[in-house]
Amino acid sequence: MSPKKTALYPVHEKLGASFTDFGGWDMPLKYANDVAEHEAVRTRAGIFDLSHMGEFRVSGPDAAAFLDYALVSNMSVLKPGRAKYSILVNDKGGVIDDLITYRLGDEEFLVVPNADKDFAAMSERLGDFDVKFVNESEETSLVAVQGPRAEEILLAAGASDEDAVREVKYYASVPVTIAGVDVLLARTGYTGEDGFELFVPNADAVKLWEALAAAGEPFGLTPAGLASRDSLRLEAGMPLYGHELGLDITPFESGLGRLVEIALEKKAVDFVGRAALTELAKSPSERILVGLKAQAKRPARAGSFLVDAEGNQIGEVTSGIPSPTLGYPVAMALVKREFSEVGTEVDVDIRGKRATFDVVPLPFYKREK
């Protein structure tokens, strides 16, 4: 089966993008130089097509109760306009996906997973809840503007309510009109920078993109693809499903233990995976996600093994890059707990040769506020 194309595919073609299959979608990997795109987001702003993401609308009297049962975190405490990061797990506590849930009203939520495949898993949890659960992924586009000049660009594009754009908080959303297009504007992102994600019907996606691109030109707005998005999120210590998250990786291993602990402490209701997560919480996990900083120039890539002095495997790199912002290679790895202390030196087997890395705190990069 050939990959699906987003509503913005013709725009990317015109811009000369290189494409790759990402989760069954033909997505732009980069336009010219992914390092330059990365640098643009860190210093100015980048514009991304994230339309491969899923959008599920949950509405009805039991909308909050359903999400409390289906997801790990407590969604019923969210105030309208606010958003929360959480995870979808199976009954063994394995992570199916991570996602963001936006509360749009007292009885209405928008759940945004990494892929619309999660719809089937969540549908199995509907039970007798009085809700309407609709998959809007196919008709919804998602455009992100990320970087220190993102707010200026949205205002320059023409906002129906400039104060709403300025005042929307991190992990919050507001309906607003940008460049004559009605959008749900969220101050969320996956880059470690300030920025926005704009949910828009497919029919208006090209108009919105072109208006933002034109408004952003004086600010140095640059189209950015998946390659720079990956390097940006890695510098910011953000997990990627299939790398730092997965069915065979528990939340306690992937750095999401506190999220689970809060749910176990504060949620009075049952939720899928609660029993398994309760058992897992009783003892420290054998391995843990850490940050690694190279002592030399050789980058470690996903799948490389960490080894001890005798050559025994002690962990595995989940993601690794030469960091464009920091100027040296960084990686995230799942490592045996006894090797996870900050300052520990570990060796990574890179194509049969050892390279020494230091265990360092996550994230590698944190923007100045």
Side-chain angles (χ1 to χ4, degrees):
M1 184 183 297
S2 59
K4 294 181 284 187
K5 291 176 170 55
T6 74
L8 290 163
Y9 185 87
V11 174
H12 307 318
E13 268 194 319
K14 190 175 179 181
L15 290 169
S18 300
F19 291 91
T20 188
D21 186 336
F22 187 77
W25 290 88
D26 217 353
M27 299 300 296
L29 180 65
K30 61 181 179 179
Y31 296 86
N33 183 298
D34 54 303
V35 174
E37 293 167 20
H38 178 114
E39 188 267 344
V41 176
R42 286 278 180 257
T43 60
R44 304 182 304 279
I47 182 169
F48 299 82
D49 178 8
L50 307 182
S51 303
H52 62 279
M53 304 283 282
E55 290 87 17
F56 310 153
R57 193 170 298 269
V58 185
S59 57
D62 292 341
F66 164 63
L67 291 173
D68 281 349
Y69 174 71
L71 307 178
V72 168
S73 298
N74 199 347
M75 296 303 165
S76 58
V77 301
L78 266 184
K79 294 181 179 179
R82 301 298 303 199
K84 183 176 284 194
Y85 175 84
S86 188
I87 49 177
L88 176 72
V89 303
N90 60 20
D91 56 5
K92 295 181 175 64
V95 180
I96 297 172
D97 205 358
D98 62 337
L99 33 74
I100 296 176
T101 299
Y102 301 86
R103 189 164 198 166
L104 307 181
D106 289 339
E107 297 185 355
E108 187 175 14
F109 295 79
L110 183 69
V111 179
V112 182
N114 288 292
D116 60 8
K117 64 178 176 58
D118 295 355
F119 190 76
M122 293 187 68
S123 295
E124 292 174 357
R125 306 176 185 195
L126 285 169
D128 295 327
F129 290 106
D130 185 5
V131 295
K132 188 177 181 182
F133 187 46
V134 181
N135 187 350
E136 299 181 350
S137 307
E138 293 288 343
E139 57 262 27
T140 305
S141 293
L142 179 55
V143 176
V145 179
Q146 299 282 302
R149 309 209 69 174
E151 182 180 292
E152 295 172 272
I153 291 167
L154 262 64
L155 293 173
S160 59
D161 188 340
E162 292 189 355
D163 287 341
V165 175
R166 293 190 185 97
E167 294 170 9
V168 63
K169 293 180 171 60
Y170 187 52
Y171 265 71
S173 69
V174 62
V176 68
T177 302
I178 302 289
V181 177
D182 292 336
V183 303
L184 177 67
L185 179 70
R187 201 162 208 148
T188 43
Y190 195 51
T191 63
E193 297 298 335
D194 186 24
F196 301 86
E197 295 180 324
L198 297 86
F199 298 87
V200 59
N202 287 344
D204 294 326
V206 172
K207 178 183 177 182
L208 178 66
W209 177 287
E210 291 180 343
L212 290 169
E217 190 171 352
F219 300 94
L221 179 67
T222 299
L226 291 175
S228 61
R229 188 164 175 252
D230 188 53
S231 57
L232 290 158
R233 70 92 193 168
L234 180 47
E235 287 183 349
M238 296 177 172
L240 175 63
Y241 192 83
H243 291 255
E244 291 75 36
L245 301 170
L247 292 174
D248 59 343
I249 305 171
T250 74
F252 297 99
E253 294 172 324
S254 61
L256 299 177
R258 187 56 191 150
L259 181 152
V260 173
E261 289 166 358
I262 290 171
L264 295 177
E265 291 168 7
K266 297 190 175 181
K267 284 181 77 166
V269 298
D270 189 24
F271 59 90
V272 176
R274 180 166 198 149
L277 292 172
T278 299
E279 283 301 309
L280 289 169
K282 290 179 180 178
S283 57
S285 57
E286 292 184 3
R287 58 181 186 168
I288 190 169
L289 188 71
V290 300
L292 299 177
K293 174 185 175 182
Q295 292 187 0
K297 296 292 186 182
R298 297 189 71 201
R301 300 296 187 179
S304 299
F305 293 128
L306 282 68
V307 294
D308 64 14
E310 287 73 41
N312 301 309
Q313 185 181 330
I314 59 169
E316 185 175 349
V317 173
T318 55
S319 299
I321 55 163
S323 167
T325 304
L326 304 174
Y328 49 77
V330 297
M332 289 196 282
L334 283 165
V335 64
K336 288 184 178 180
R337 186 171 286 274
E338 57 263 38
F339 297 94
S340 66
E341 286 295 319
V342 170
T344 302
E345 289 188 355
V346 295
D347 285 345
V348 179
D349 186 325
I350 303 175
R351 297 178 184 173
K353 294 184 179 180
R354 291 192 179 199
T356 303
F357 284 70
D358 296 314
V359 176
V360 295
L362 290 170
F364 304 105
Y365 166 85
K366 197 168 186 178
R367 70 182 176 91
E368 294 181 8
K369 296 184 179 180

